């Protein structure tokens, strides 16, 4: 059964990559007019990649993390796997909604739009919500404390070093329009009131 979960994690990681790949290719075709802490951003993205991609690959292809097994029941791991499938669908729709406005680091593109439709009508940073979900669920599917904690920490480092700077950058670019948008939406979960 463990091999089935390993194969699932590997497949889902490649599906995530396949969803993102077209947007990575388009990235270089668009001119950027503003960025924040580009070197630090790239370092933090790399660290997040370690926890979200490299460590899960090491879990799949080696036994080095076997001693960190959490002994999560099969039904819990299956539920987490099902939720990861929903998460990758969500990931696809977020990218589709953002289209050419997406960037892996804090940058403002030439002719960038403020996206406030679809899921962005309720949440300012749905991709961050999606990434928190991803790292949480991959640790459960792997049933591995190291995969789980390292994923959460590496993604958390990127999130907390970025989200406040990103909102400042968006205010600089979109001014009062973004401030109004902030009042109506939650940062990573919808506002209830």
């Amino acid at each position: 059964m463990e091999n089935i979960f390993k194969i699932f994690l590997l497949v889902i990681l490649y599906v995530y990559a396949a969803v993102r790949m077209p947007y990575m290719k388009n990235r270089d075709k668009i001119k950027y007019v503003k960025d924040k802490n580009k070197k630090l951003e790239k370092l933090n993205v790399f660290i997040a990649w370690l926890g979200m991609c490299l460590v899960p690959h090491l879990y799949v292809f080696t036994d080095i993390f076997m001693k960190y097994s959490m002994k999560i029941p099969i039904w819990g791991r299956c539920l987490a796997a099902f939720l990861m499938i929903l998460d990758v669908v969500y990931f696809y729709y977020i990218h589709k909604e953002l289209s050419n406005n997406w960037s892996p680091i804090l940058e403002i593109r030439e002719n960038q739009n403020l996206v406030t439709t679809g899921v962005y009508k309720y949440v300012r940073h749905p991709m961050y919500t999606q990434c928190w979900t991803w790292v949480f669920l991959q640790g459960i599917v792997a049933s591995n404390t190291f995969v789980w904690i390292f994923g959460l920490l590496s993604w958390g480092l990127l999130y907390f070093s970025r989200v406040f700077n990103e909102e400042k950058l968006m205010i600089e670019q979109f001014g009062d329009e973004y401030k109004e948008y902030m009042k109506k939406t939650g940062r990573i979960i919808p506002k209830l009131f």
Side-chain angles (χ1 to χ4, degrees):
M1 194 67 180
E2 191 63 32
N3 286 336
I4 292 171
F5 288 114
K6 286 184 174 191
I7 291 166
F8 172 82
L9 269 182
L10 192 62
V11 168
I12 204 88
L13 285 169
Y14 287 109
V15 171
Y16 279 117
V19 168
R20 177 153 283 172
M21 209 43 65
Y23 299 94
M24 288 297 288
K25 287 181 181 176
N26 286 339
R27 182 179 177 275
D28 295 332
K29 298 176 186 173
I30 298 170
K31 183 178 176 185
Y32 292 86
V33 293
K34 233 185 249 186
D35 63 59
K36 289 263 187 196
N37 304 322
K38 201 173 223 173
K39 286 182 182 178
L40 181 60
E41 270 287 302
K42 287 181 177 183
L43 175 63
N44 287 338
V45 167
F46 174 73
I47 292 168
W49 174 84
L50 292 174
M52 297 171 83
C53 298
L54 181 64
V55 166
H57 272 83
L58 291 173
Y59 159 77
V60 168
F61 291 112
T62 72
D63 291 330
I64 62 173
F65 303 130
M66 196 176 336
K67 65 183 175 184
Y68 301 107
S69 176
M70 290 194 285
K71 308 290 186 232
I72 293 175
I74 300 284
W75 67 265
R77 295 173 79 182
C78 289
L79 176 61
F82 173 73
L83 293 173
M84 279 193 93
I85 292 168
L86 296 179
D87 188 58
V88 81
V89 171
Y90 185 55
F91 188 61
Y92 167 79
Y93 282 109
I94 295 165
H95 271 295
K96 188 175 178 184
E97 194 72 35
L98 270 181
S99 188
N100 289 331
N101 292 297
W102 177 79
S103 175
I105 62 174
L106 289 186
E107 299 172 313
I108 297 290
R109 292 172 169 227
E110 193 171 63
N111 302 317
Q112 182 160 335
N113 301 314
L114 178 58
V115 178
T116 59
T117 57
V119 70
Y120 285 89
K121 184 176 181 179
Y122 308 101
V123 180
R124 293 190 301 277
H125 305 287
M127 198 167 299
Y128 294 167
T129 308
Q130 179 276 320
C131 287
W132 280 114
T133 305
W134 171 357
V135 295
F136 182 80
L137 293 173
Q138 81 178 358
I140 293 173
V141 170
S143 188
N144 189 283
T145 306
F146 189 87
V147 172
W148 194 50
I149 298 297
F150 194 81
L152 287 168
L153 289 176
S154 64
W155 165 248
L157 175 68
L158 177 60
Y159 173 79
F160 288 111
S161 71
R162 173 185 280 184
V163 71
F164 305 107
N165 287 326
E166 183 169 352
E167 293 201 328
K168 286 179 193 172
L169 188 64
M170 297 301 279
I171 290 169
E172 287 173 18
Q173 182 67 20
F174 298 107
D176 290 339
E177 183 183 7
Y178 194 77
K179 289 178 185 177
E180 284 301 310
Y181 175 61
M182 289 174 79
K183 291 177 187 174
K184 298 175 191 171
T185 56
R187 182 173 285 137
I188 61 171
I189 56 172
K191 283 189 174 180
L192 299 176
F193 304 98

